[in-house]
Amino acid sequence: AQVLHDMEGVIQYCERKEIDLVYLVGGAQIYELSLPYLSEFLCSSVDYDGPADTYFPKFEHLEWETVREEVH
């Protein structure tokens, strides 16, 4: 495993290793830190209206184009 402590470190590591595609799995803080660096992202949601203490960060202010949307 490789431990990296900030997004700049992730970017440098990927450039050095010639990695073109990275999947991030995190919590809200990881997602919030990564949003400005993304060229695309896959977003899934669950129809749930119960109690929760963590949410995906707001991203509507960024310019995104929906390429495909599926409802299951």
Side-chain angles (χ1 to χ4, degrees), residues 19-33:
I19 298 171
D20 294 326
L21 182 61
V22 175
Y23 288 95
L24 295 171
V25 179
Q29 290 179 329
I30 298 295
Y31 296 134
E32 188 171 3
L33 289 171

Side-chain angles (χ1 to χ4, degrees), residues 5-16:
H5 298 282
D6 55 40
M7 287 307 299
E8 289 77 18
V10 172
I11 292 167
Q12 292 171 0
Y13 177 82
C14 291
E15 288 174 347
R16 202 168 49 251

